[in-house]
Amino acid sequence: MHNKIYNSFIDRKAKGQKSFAVLIDPDKVTPADIADLAAKCTAAKVDYIFLGGSLVITNHLDECVQQFKTLCDIPVVLFPGSPSQVSRYADALLYLSVISGRNPELLIGQHVLSAPAVKKSGLEVISTGYILIDGGAPTTVSYISNTTPVPSDKDDIAMCTAMAGEMLGMKVVFMDAGSGARKPITESMISRVASQVSAPIIVGGGIRDAEKAYLNCKAGADIIVVGNAIEKETSLIKEMADAVHAAAPVLK
C-alpha cells in the first residue's frame, strides 16, 4: 500500500515542522457545516482533517469524506472508533490499537474482524499506538473502550507504554485525553514520551486555546488534534493552526 500520508508525518517531523489536524465527528456536521469547515481549514492552512468518533450512529461517513475531498485539498484521515468507520474515499486510516488499556478486543480483536474489509478498501493503513490519558472526567472513549486511562501524573507509565508500542512496530503514537476532557495532557508527559520515542506523536483531547496547542508542540508533539473546541467556535481554527505552525523545532 502507498504511504503518502505516513511519509508526510515523517517528513514534517524530520524538518521540525508541526502539524495541525481538525477532528470532525460525522454525527455532528451537516453538508453546510462541511462547506464552512472546508473553507476555514483551507484558509488556515490546516494540515490534516481527521474524521471519526467514538460512537458514530449516522450512516453518512462516505458522504462526509467525499464532500471534503471535493471542497478542499487537505488530506482526510480516518480516526475510527469502531471497525465500521471505514471509507475507501479517505486518504488514510489510523489503525488504532489501544495499548494503554487491557481490553483484548481493542488491542487486536476488532482488527482481526476488520482486516479483510480494511485490506479491500485500498486505504493507506497507519498502525497507531493509542494511549488514553486521564483527562479529569469520564469520556466517551474510555466508556466505549472499557479501559482505564493512564493517570495524568504518571509520565513514566505513558513513556513506557509509548516505547513498547513503538518497539512492537506501531508507526505513530497517539496520546489522547479524550473528547470533552476537562484537563489536557501535560507538557511534562508529552516531553517524557518524546524523549524516548522517535515515531511521530499525535496529541489531542482538552486543548481549548492556541497557547496550549503551542506549548504541546514545544514539549514534543508533532501533530495537534482539536475537535470539541472547534465544534463550539470555528474561528479557533486559524488561531490554533497559526500557533502550531509557529512552534519551534524541539531539540532532543
Side-chain angles (χ1 to χ4, degrees):
M1 291 186 182
H2 51 87
N3 295 303
K4 181 179 178 181
I5 303 302
Y6 173 66
N7 286 339
S8 74
F9 290 177
I10 293 295
D11 290 345
R12 291 180 66 84
K13 181 179 177 69
K15 295 174 182 176
Q17 297 173 334
K18 304 300 181 177
S19 303
F20 182 58
V22 172
L23 173 61
I24 296 166
D25 186 335
D27 281 344
K28 299 179 180 179
V29 290
T30 66
D33 294 330
I34 293 173
D36 180 59
L37 285 165
K40 288 179 177 175
C41 287
T42 298
K45 298 182 179 179
V46 168
D47 301 289
Y48 307 101
I49 291 171
F50 283 9
L51 199 60
S54 298
L55 184 65
V56 173
I57 57 177
T58 56
N59 192 30
H60 63 278
L61 179 62
D62 281 346
E63 289 81 358
C64 286
V65 175
Q66 288 176 298
Q67 190 174 359
F68 274 114
K69 298 296 292 178
T70 299
L71 294 172
C72 67
D73 295 326
I74 302 169
V76 177
V77 179
L78 298 177
F79 175 41
S82 72
S84 64
Q85 294 178 33
V86 175
S87 171
R88 63 186 178 89
Y89 301 106
D91 293 289
L93 167 72
L94 297 180
Y95 211 34
L96 305 172
S97 182
V98 186
I99 59 176
S100 58
R102 299 298 180 264
N103 182 347
E105 282 301 301
L106 297 180
L107 280 168
I108 186 63
Q110 291 192 4
H111 307 73
V112 173
L113 298 176
S114 66
V118 170
K119 185 81 169 180
K120 185 178 180 181
S121 73
L123 285 166
E124 175 183 348
V125 177
I126 304 173
S127 59
T128 302
Y130 185 80
I131 303 176
L132 184 60
I133 310 297
D134 184 9
T139 59
T140 303
V141 65
S142 63
Y143 180 84
I144 294 296
S145 66
N146 193 27
T147 61
T148 302
V150 174
S152 60
D153 61 344
K154 300 299 182 183
D155 296 359
D156 284 347
I157 294 178
M159 178 193 71
C160 291
T161 302
M163 289 170 61
E166 183 175 47
M167 288 189 286
L168 281 168
M170 304 292 176
K171 294 181 178 179
V172 174
V173 170
F174 195 142
M175 301 171 66
D176 192 8
S179 177
R182 291 177 185 165
K183 301 183 300 182
I185 299 169
T186 64
E187 288 101 65
S188 66
M189 179 176 283
I190 296 168
S191 179
R192 192 81 173 111
V193 170
S195 71
Q196 297 297 323
V197 169
S198 59
I201 297 172
I202 305 173
V203 175
I207 302 171
R208 296 181 178 85
D209 56 62
E211 181 182 8
K212 178 56 178 170
Y214 178 83
L215 291 174
N216 281 358
C217 290
K218 293 284 286 183
D222 298 297
I223 302 172
I224 297 296
V225 182
V226 178
N228 263 24
I230 286 170
E231 287 173 11
K232 297 173 183 176
E233 184 51 72
T234 57
S235 63
L236 285 173
I237 293 174
K238 187 174 191 314
E239 187 179 338
M240 288 193 172
D242 287 347
V244 169
H245 293 152
V250 176
L251 301 177
K252 296 183 180 179

